[in-house]
Amino acid sequence: MLKKEFFQENNSIMIERNLTDVKPSSKKTLELIQLLRGIASMLVVLMHITVNYEDNSGHVFLFNIFKFGGSGVDIFFVLSGFIITYSNLKYVEKPSATGTFLKRRFVRIFPIYWLIITVFLLAQLSLPAFYNTHFDTGIGNLLQTYLLLPGHIMLNGVSWSLTNELFFYLLFTLALLIPNKKYTLFLAAFYFVILLVVALGFPQFAIGNPYIEILLFPMNMEFFMGIIIVLIVNRLAVSWVYPLLITGIGLFITGALLNNADISVFSSTSGGALNRVLLFGFPSFLIILAVVKLELSKTIRMHNIFLHLGDASYSIYLFHLPMVAAFFKITDKINMDNAAVLFLLSFLLIVMVCAGGIFIYQKIEKPLIEKLNKLLR
């Protein structure tokens, strides 16, 4: 049977150079994956700055180039399918280890999320003039928000994607519990087809029920694209790396141009999610498949700043949007109407968000994860 070992230590993705003959000495850091995580987080940051910049100043930020920046979430979803599947292949034949998998995922997602969202909830309650999201502070929505249940009214506008992430963890847990893995692959393929058929033929079917919506959400296909990378990367010839990489980048840029021009491939009744799968999810699949194979075949070294951004990508993702909203609320309060000054301050905001995210990761998120994992062991 194919031996596999893939794990994440201090948020650096570790993978075996030779997946058919695992040896301790063959472990290496997939630095290109860290680079992609950093790029994904920065795309989302730039998109939110672009939107808020225009809404508050009436001007456009960098010609609205980063209007497509929400595609960073699509990259994250494909990366998540790849990382979670590969990092937990050792549990596939050990259903009893499902508890360990769930504990690690809980520690990875919730503690830093709870900490950051609590800080911003207190900020909203104490400084509503500078930070107000119209968040429902009723006990029901607070509970839904802290548990990331479907349909919660978001204090932090990015938390919807975390709900989808948790749903993927649930699917993976169910897959671990199925004794016959042939059935697992069959059910996964069947579910993928159902997602596609519903999105194309019955787009209104799930609307109205948040639990059915997340079950049939078209972007769930991107998680499965990450799983497919796990299944085929070892069979992919190295000669395919650059053709796949160039094709993926080309398709991603094409998707960005279409998105920025408000051109949809599918009809509006199919929803924007299916367009995102085609315009950004599939290109992300090709890019990630290519870079994983590339780094398995040769040593890649990235500058430390890219590794830091990759490590801190989750903290940046959670931290940035409330900061962006507060920044533009302040510039609006002080009547900042000098376009050049606002433009320069926006670049300073980007630097502050990156620096703040890296600080939160190194001083809070990373130590917190290490302590909780040690406690759980």
Side-chain angles (χ1 to χ4, degrees):
M1 184 181 71
L2 180 67
K3 298 180 181 178
K4 327 160 189 82
E5 184 179 355
F6 178 88
F7 64 94
Q8 183 176 357
E9 185 67 30
N10 295 334
N11 251 12
S12 293
I13 308 306
M14 306 297 293
I15 193 166
E16 302 301 335
R17 183 185 297 275
N18 187 341
L19 300 178
T20 61
D21 185 19
V22 175
K23 297 178 181 179
S25 62
S26 65
K27 298 170 187 173
K28 60 178 294 187
T29 299
L30 277 184
E31 298 191 357
L32 288 175
I33 291 296
Q34 291 296 83
L35 172 65
L36 288 177
R37 292 176 64 197
I39 289 174
S41 64
M42 291 312 303
L43 283 175
V44 177
V45 171
L46 289 167
M47 183 271 290
H48 283 135
I49 289 178
T50 296
V51 172
N52 281 272
Y53 192 96
E54 184 170 7
D55 288 346
N56 287 275
S57 71
H59 302 289
V60 296
F61 180 71
L62 291 178
F63 308 101
N64 275 341
I65 292 174
F66 292 103
K67 183 181 175 181
F68 75 97
S71 59
V73 176
D74 301 270
I75 299 174
F76 274 132
F77 278 10
V78 181
L79 280 174
S80 181
F82 167 72
I83 294 170
I84 297 304
T85 304
Y86 231 146
S87 64
N88 293 282
L89 282 175
K90 56 189 175 184
Y91 298 141
V92 169
E93 302 298 332
K94 298 178 181 179
S96 61
T98 302
T100 301
F101 164 74
L102 290 175
K103 289 176 185 177
R104 289 182 176 276
R105 292 301 93 202
F106 175 88
V107 168
R108 183 68 185 90
I109 292 293
F110 278 108
I112 189 64
Y113 166 72
W114 284 339
L115 180 61
I116 289 177
I117 202 171
T118 298
V119 170
F120 288 120
L121 174 60
L122 294 176
Q124 173 173 301
L125 295 175
S126 59
L127 299 169
F130 290 96
Y131 181 65
N132 188 357
T133 63
H134 308 292
F135 176 75
D136 179 6
T137 55
I139 187 65
N141 189 58
L142 281 174
L143 183 62
Q144 284 185 311
T145 298
Y146 274 81
L147 295 179
L148 290 171
L149 297 180
H152 66 274
I153 301 173
M154 295 178 287
L155 170 63
N156 189 332
V158 302
S159 61
W160 68 270
S161 62
L162 304 183
T163 302
N164 284 78
E165 187 86 3
L166 292 179
F167 177 66
F168 178 63
Y169 296 163
L170 174 62
L171 292 180
F172 192 87
T173 301
L174 294 175
L176 292 177
L177 295 175
I178 297 175
N180 192 324
K181 300 312 171 188
K182 291 182 180 179
Y183 293 148
T184 303
L185 292 175
F186 172 78
L187 291 173
F190 180 73
Y191 178 55
F192 189 97
V193 172
I194 290 296
L195 290 174
L196 186 60
V197 169
V198 171
L200 288 173
F202 309 95
Q204 306 298 323
F205 179 79
I207 295 178
N209 186 314
Y211 289 89
I212 296 179
E213 286 179 6
I214 197 169
L215 176 65
L216 299 176
F217 189 49
M219 285 175 66
N220 291 345
M221 288 186 282
E222 295 174 342
F223 288 124
F224 286 94
M225 291 179 187
I227 296 175
I228 292 171
I229 294 174
V230 175
L231 299 177
I232 67 176
V233 67
N234 200 48
R235 297 183 172 91
L236 182 69
V238 177
S239 59
W240 280 93
V241 166
Y242 291 107
L244 287 175
L245 184 60
I246 293 171
T247 301
I249 293 174
L251 289 175
F252 200 96
I253 293 174
T254 301
L257 294 174
L258 291 174
N259 179 87
N260 287 0
D262 295 319
I263 298 174
S264 296
V265 176
F266 299 102
S267 65
S268 59
T269 56
S270 298
L274 188 59
N275 284 292
R276 292 181 63 163
V277 174
L278 177 65
L279 298 181
F280 303 116
F282 181 67
S284 297
F285 162 77
L286 296 179
I287 293 169
I288 295 168
L289 175 60
V291 301
V292 170
K293 188 64 182 182
L294 175 63
E295 203 155 7
L296 287 175
S297 63
K298 61 189 299 185
T299 299
I300 305 292
R301 289 287 179 263
M302 303 299 302
H303 192 281
N304 282 341
I305 186 61
F306 298 115
L307 300 182
H308 289 321
L309 286 174
D311 286 338
S313 58
Y314 184 48
S315 289
I316 292 173
Y317 189 65
L318 292 176
F319 168 74
H320 81 277
L321 185 53
M323 292 298 297
V324 170
F327 169 84
F328 283 104
K329 179 67 70 174
I330 292 172
T331 59
D332 183 60
K333 289 288 183 181
I334 63 176
N335 295 316
M336 174 58 68
D337 54 3
N338 187 308
V341 173
L342 182 61
F343 185 77
L344 292 176
L345 288 176
S346 297
F347 270 97
L348 179 61
L349 173 64
I350 295 171
V351 175
M352 292 174 59
V353 165
C354 292
I358 292 172
F359 177 84
I360 292 172
Y361 168 73
Q362 292 182 343
K363 300 301 182 181
I364 302 175
E365 181 188 353
K366 180 181 175 182
L368 185 61
I369 290 175
E370 290 175 347
K371 289 180 180 179
L372 288 175
N373 279 330
K374 184 181 295 185
L375 179 63
L376 291 174
R377 283 197 299 267

